[in-house]
Amino acid sequence: MLKFTAEHEWLQIDGDVATVGITAHAAEQLGDLVFVELPDVGSSFDKGADAATVESVKAASEVYCPLDGEITEINEAITADPSLVNSDPQGAGWFFKLKLKNLADVDGLLDESAYKELIA
């Protein structure tokens, strides 16, 4: 199940774990990424907390934790090569995996059509 936030994160939900990244729209708006800082595995975040940082040639921006949970895995590949986020934001450019504290919170996120309407 694919969900989105108004802050331009996407979540691929698999059981009670969400793979999280930034949307193609966000990657396009940021421009070419030159640096990505990811959270530590085992860190817990509340919804809306700053979980990661991206820097592009244009600006630095925060990536927010879309739901309450604990980081179970990070994508080291994007710290070594931030351009993966630009070239494949909703694939190889994922940021982290989040074990969700409350799976029901997913219902409050946007579906793909609602997200497309938001960015239109």
Side-chain angles (χ1 to χ4, degrees), residues 48-112:
D50 298 348
T53 303
V54 293
E55 291 182 16
S56 70
V57 293
K58 293 181 183 178
S61 185
E62 300 303 321
V63 176
Y64 303 105
C65 194
L67 296 172
D68 297 347
E70 180 184 328
I71 305 298
T72 60
E73 188 178 339
I74 58 171
N75 185 0
E76 298 279 3
I78 64 171
T79 59
D81 183 6
S83 70
L84 283 173
V85 178
N86 295 108
S87 63
D88 193 9
Q90 289 178 228
W94 63 276
F95 279 59
F96 54 84
K97 295 192 179 188
L98 184 70
K99 182 168 177 45
L100 302 175
K101 189 181 281 186
N102 185 355
L103 190 56
D105 291 345
V106 169
D107 296 338
L109 299 173
L110 304 171
D111 63 18
E112 193 164 5

Side-chain angles (χ1 to χ4, degrees), residues 5-65:
T5 70
E7 292 77 28
H8 310 290
E9 289 94 21
W10 59 265
L11 296 85
Q12 178 67 50
I13 311 295
D14 184 12
D16 65 350
V17 175
T19 301
V20 179
I22 62 171
T23 64
H25 174 77
E28 184 180 304
Q29 295 300 308
L30 286 166
D32 293 336
L33 294 185
V34 295
F35 175 79
V36 176
E37 181 179 85
L38 295 173
D40 294 326
V41 171
S43 299
S44 290
F45 292 94
D46 293 331
K47 178 181 178 180
D50 298 348
T53 303
V54 293
E55 291 182 16
S56 70
V57 293
K58 293 181 183 178
S61 185
E62 300 303 321
V63 176
Y64 303 105
C65 194

